[in-house]
Amino acid sequence: MPSKPEKESVVRTELIDRQLLQAGWSVSNGTLVEEFPVKPETESLSADDQFVDYVLVGRDGRPLALVEAKRSTRDALAGKRQAADYADFIRRESGQDPFIFLANGNDILFWDRDRYPPRPVSGFFTQDDLERLAHQRRYGVPLSTTASNAKIAGRTYQVEAIRRVTEAIESGRRSFLLVMATGTGKTRTTIALIDLLLRAKRVQRVLFLADRRELVRQAMGEFKTHLPQESLARIEGGEVSGARVQFATYPSMAQVFSRLSPGYYDLIIADESHRSIYQRYLAIFEHFDALQLGLTATPTDYIDHNTFAL
């Protein structure tokens, strides 16, 4: 087998350039700037460190994100401090705090410094993804100041479930599980939670997954009843719409997810999450970088089917 490239310049040319192009970033279309000059206020950087490897540019011409590249034999996290210095400089110059990607050709980490530590992602985000995230960061309001709609889900335990999830989101958590008995209103609780997150501008695109078409149909009916103002669409036959709330069975989503950016969704709901998604459909959840909420009445703790671990 051919050896992996070790020099940073080779990693960039052979791997990272290609990964960025796959997400729509290129010098030719004006969305990508290579060797972006900076003057960080730190003495720890040498003269060779006065350039950002890549800057990803928004439609307004301002930096949306930067990419710090390392050779494949180094941990992608090795560039964290350097990238933070670069981001501080760009924020001072442009007034916009850029997102950060740390990459070594094998691994890509995404860092939203305001809210989360760096986390692995399956690929670079598109311009649309990053502009949507920047919009949420700019206009999102604290979830503690946004009340859930009791007309959708007003029972005490439903309100408590929503509060627990929103508190966890505010504390930096990204995966959640609601265990609620059959007939206690899991779907209505979920609708009220999504409504709250949409109004707080903390999410803008949601995916609701279920393992049977009938469950998808029922869920869409409840969403239409309680959120009549929202755009809803079903993913079927390989077609994906731009609706804010999208619905799919796992098989339907398995046909299309690889065509979508890792940052395409802000929130993914997994209905009946105690079944179906451990092996074949787990790739869907590993592909997308989104908040994830599992719903179940009967969680399992088998070694290979552990709802809590998932």
Side-chain angles (χ1 to χ4, degrees), residues 26 47 57 61 66 88 96 110 114 128 142 166-167 169-170 172 182 200 210 214 216 245 254 256-257 296 300:
S26 74
V57 181
L66 65 87
D88 289 341
Q96 182 161 296
F110 177 66
D114 280 355
D128 284 344
T166 55
E167 286 178 350
I169 291 174
E170 292 284 52
T182 301
E214 179 60 22
V216 169
V245 185
V256 302
F257 79 89
T296 184
T300 60

Side-chain angles (χ1 to χ4, degrees), residues 98-261:
F99 299 106
I100 294 172
F101 289 98
L102 306 171
N104 64 4
N106 301 315
D107 304 312
I108 301 173
L109 305 178
F110 177 66
W111 190 12
D112 179 354
R113 295 194 295 170
D114 280 355
R115 295 192 284 182
Y116 303 103
R119 61 182 182 269
V121 292
S122 64
F124 289 108
F125 298 177
T126 65
Q127 188 183 66
D128 284 344
D129 297 336
L130 292 179
E131 290 188 335
R132 195 179 74 250
L133 292 175
H135 177 87
Q136 293 168 16
R137 190 165 65 180
R138 181 175 181 181
Y139 296 106
V141 299
L143 298 179
S144 58
T145 65
T146 308
S148 61
N149 187 343
K151 293 182 179 179
I152 301 175
R155 297 175 183 173
T156 302
Y157 62 85
Q158 294 171 333
V159 175
E160 174 75 0
I162 294 168
R163 185 181 67 80
R164 292 293 187 94
V165 174
T166 55
E167 286 178 350
I169 291 174
E170 292 284 52
S171 69
R173 294 269 300 280
R174 294 184 59 80
S175 298
F176 321 94
L177 177 67
L178 286 184
V179 180
M180 299 174 65
T182 301
T184 57
K186 288 193 300 295
T187 303
R188 289 184 65 151
T189 302
T190 303
I191 294 170
L193 172 64
I194 291 172
D195 172 64
L196 186 157
L197 294 174
L198 288 169
R199 285 188 286 110
K201 295 180 174 58
R202 295 297 294 270
V203 305
Q204 291 171 272
R205 187 177 288 143
V206 179
L207 173 64
F208 187 100
L209 289 169
D211 61 354
R212 298 200 305 273
R213 297 179 69 182
E214 179 60 22
L215 292 176
V216 169
R217 188 191 66 78
Q218 291 174 3
M220 284 193 73
E222 289 205 53
F223 272 78
K224 287 178 182 178
T225 298
H226 299 292
L227 295 181
Q229 76 283 4
E230 290 298 339
S231 58
L232 312 176
R234 184 168 181 166
I235 297 173
E236 203 165 28
E239 297 295 324
V240 181
S241 79
R244 293 228 291 181
V245 185
Q246 302 175 16
F247 301 81
T249 60
Y250 294 104
S252 293
M253 198 64 208
Q255 296 177 24
V256 302
F257 79 89
S258 62
R259 305 202 312 258
L260 302 175
S261 159

Side-chain angles (χ1 to χ4, degrees), residues 58-115:
R59 289 180 176 83
D60 60 1
R62 299 168 68 193
L64 265 177
L66 65 87
V67 180
E68 176 57 25
K70 294 298 178 188
R71 61 181 182 268
S72 57
T73 54
R74 295 192 67 188
D75 191 324
L77 267 175
K80 181 181 177 184
R81 173 63 184 275
Q82 194 173 344
D85 289 338
Y86 292 156
D88 289 341
F89 171 82
I90 291 174
R91 179 170 56 189
R92 288 195 302 271
E93 293 295 310
S94 70
Q96 182 161 296
D97 190 18
F99 299 106
I100 294 172
F101 289 98
L102 306 171
N104 64 4
N106 301 315
D107 304 312
I108 301 173
L109 305 178
F110 177 66
W111 190 12
D112 179 354
R113 295 194 295 170
D114 280 355
R115 295 192 284 182

Side-chain angles (χ1 to χ4, degrees), residues 1 6 22 30 36 74 137 142 206 284 298:
M1 293 180 63
E6 293 188 4
Q22 186 177 359
F36 184 87
R74 295 192 67 188
R137 190 165 65 180
V206 179
I284 296 171
T298 54

